Amino acid sequence: MVEDAAPYGPVDDGAMLVRDGRIAWVGARADLPAHDAVAVERLDGRWVTPGLIDCHTHLVFGGNRSHEFERRLTGVPYEQIAREGGGIVSTMTATRAASEDALVASALDRLRGLTATGVTTVEIKSGYGLDAANELKMLRAARRVGREGGVRVSTSFLGLHALPPEHRADRAAYLDLMIDQILPAAHAEGLVDAVDAYCEPIAFTAVEVDRLFAKARSLGLPVKLHADQLSNGGGGALAAAHGALSADHVEHVDEAGVVAMAAAGTVAVLLPGAYLMLRETVPPPIDLFRRHGVRMAVATDCNPGTSPVVSVTSALNLACVQFRLTPEEALTGATRHAAAALGLSHEIGALEPGKTADLAVWNVERPAELCYWLGRPLLHRRWLGGRT
């Protein structure tokens, strides 16, 4: 599949040349240019797509929150659980108690679910350490997951995720710590590809996020935002005002926010796993995104509390069923638009000459099956940088 005007951009009876880990040529086999192939891989008519991209995950964390899942099923709202010391703070406690090796091991176990569904690139956030030692520990673990797990990892610093208990009496001190000390230290160590924040009444305000994003810009780092998930707090417009790569969740974004996102080129990252697990009733404004030309990505939001999802193809199915995306929109959302949400469009996300040869080969008869089956193994083989 290549970028094309036809649905899914198919190339029937196609061929591809890969050189030094990059796509050198792709097109119809009848047009294959002269070449000296070192090796030939025959795929017997299978569909080939770019490797899938999970552009929003919290893959590194300690423990799990299955007990909170049980409480939510009895009707206790997520906001109440969070205010009672559960939610993100609960995972913070378990993450602080875990060693870096333990965090890597548990993340690699979850990663196997993602790679089995064709993933070659994963975004991993910090945000469960919430102090200097543990935020850096999480980011180091995320880098190791990439090296040891056979995937490309993009890291996001999410220091403004929740207020830890030791700073409840001095919120300003926590902001100073995260923005002026921990973020620069993580950046200096080469651990940060982007900066994220959680902008909601139960988390951080637009004014606080503004300050964080100003610091990110001073360090030359792109930004993204957990925006308008539980309420319309102007998160989409805030993200756009900072030229954010993406605004994520966006169930409650209004038309003004959508228009701002379109003008800024900010991608809307849809997270149907969290929508399902939280039993939300207000879906993202898909028709507004379409009308104003906002690109839509789809991701798992893999996390221990609100989206314990470790299958990108399941996320694609949920995006189609819950949000009424077409299968073509959903698949584009886990390839080309997901790459844009990470600032990596120049490297991955499409089968085009010059891009990295991250590929997924599928046992399907038509690409809609990647969104149709729920839980069925479909992957035949996966390449990362031209290597299986």
Side-chain angles (χ1 to χ4, degrees):
M1 294 173 58
V2 297
E3 188 168 358
D4 187 85
Y8 300 105
V11 174
D12 293 328
D13 192 21
M16 185 183 305
L17 295 177
V18 175
R19 182 181 299 116
D20 298 328
R22 294 187 176 272
I23 298 170
W25 181 90
V26 62
R29 187 156 59 103
D31 299 327
L32 186 65
H35 61 280
D36 295 319
V38 175
V40 177
E41 296 279 354
R42 301 188 184 279
L43 300 176
D44 301 320
R46 291 181 173 88
W47 281 86
V48 182
T49 71
L52 301 190
I53 302 163
D54 197 353
C55 65
H56 180 128
T57 86
H58 304 255
L59 195 68
V60 171
F61 58 83
N64 70 67
R65 304 216 301 266
S66 57
H67 58 293
E68 293 180 12
F69 169 67
E70 289 187 298
R71 290 191 68 196
R72 290 202 308 274
L73 291 177
T74 68
V76 181
Y78 175 73
E79 293 93 330
Q80 179 181 336
I81 292 172
R83 289 191 173 101
E84 291 173 355
I88 294 166
V89 172
S90 173
T91 298
M92 177 206 74
T93 302
T95 301
R96 287 181 176 182
S99 68
E100 181 181 314
D101 287 344
L103 291 177
V104 170
S106 64
L108 288 172
D109 184 56
R110 290 183 284 274
L111 179 67
R112 280 189 279 274
L114 298 179
T115 55
T117 55
V119 168
T120 52
T121 297
V122 181
E123 185 257 14
I124 302 177
K125 304 178 191 297
S126 68
Y128 292 131
L130 307 182
D131 65 14
N134 290 290
E135 284 293 292
L136 294 172
K137 178 177 70 176
M138 286 189 69
L139 291 166
R140 292 180 191 123
R143 290 289 195 225
R144 283 181 55 188
V145 167
R147 293 193 297 269
E148 299 175 25
V151 293
R152 189 181 318 280
V153 165
S154 178
T155 56
S156 294
F157 175 79
L158 184 56
L160 298 195
H161 196 197
L163 195 66
E166 65 269 23
H167 281 282
R168 282 180 185 156
D170 195 349
R171 188 182 185 94
Y174 181 73
L175 292 167
D176 292 344
L177 176 67
M178 279 293 157
I179 297 171
D180 298 328
Q181 296 183 41
I182 301 178
L183 172 57
H187 175 58
E189 198 174 323
L191 297 174
V192 184
D193 296 317
V195 174
D196 198 350
Y198 185 25
C199 187
E200 284 285 350
I202 63 170
F204 293 91
T205 69
V207 172
E208 292 165 339
V209 172
D210 269 327
R211 182 181 162 198
L212 172 70
F213 284 2
K215 186 66 172 184
R217 283 200 310 275
S218 75
L219 296 172
L221 292 168
V223 299
K224 49 186 42 247
L225 187 65
H226 286 61
D228 299 329
Q229 177 188 9
L230 305 174
S231 61
N232 177 15
L238 174 64
H242 286 276
L245 294 172
S246 69
D248 302 25
H249 289 289
V250 291
E251 283 91 335
H252 292 270
V253 66
D254 58 20
E255 187 163 10
V258 173
V259 170
M261 290 171 62
T266 298
V267 178
V269 177
L270 310 179
L271 303 170
Y275 183 89
L276 174 74
M277 293 296 293
L278 290 174
R279 302 165 77 182
E280 296 288 351
T281 57
V282 177
I286 303 302
D287 287 340
L288 285 178
F289 291 144
R290 288 171 178 150
R291 186 185 313 157
H292 293 287
V294 173
R295 293 169 293 178
M296 294 179 286
V298 178
T300 64
D301 192 16
C302 176
N303 74 70
T306 60
S307 189
V309 178
V310 292
S311 163
V312 170
T313 52
S314 293
L316 298 183
N317 173 282
L318 292 174
C320 292
V321 172
Q322 296 184 133
F323 300 158
R324 301 295 190 265
L325 263 64
T326 67
E328 183 181 8
E329 285 175 325
L331 186 54
T332 301
T335 52
R336 193 162 64 246
H337 293 171
L342 298 179
L344 294 175
S345 293
H346 61 293
E347 280 288 324
I348 56 176
L351 304 184
E352 297 173 343
K355 292 191 174 176
T356 302
D358 290 357
L359 314 172
V361 183
W362 304 96
N363 294 315
V364 298
E365 294 182 7
R366 54 196 307 267
E369 290 186 58
L370 299 178
C371 305
Y372 166 70
W373 294 107
L374 189 58
R376 180 179 177 181
L378 300 172
L379 186 70
H380 173 68
R381 195 182 298 178
R382 196 176 60 98
W383 270 269
L384 183 71
R387 298 188 178 191
T388 52

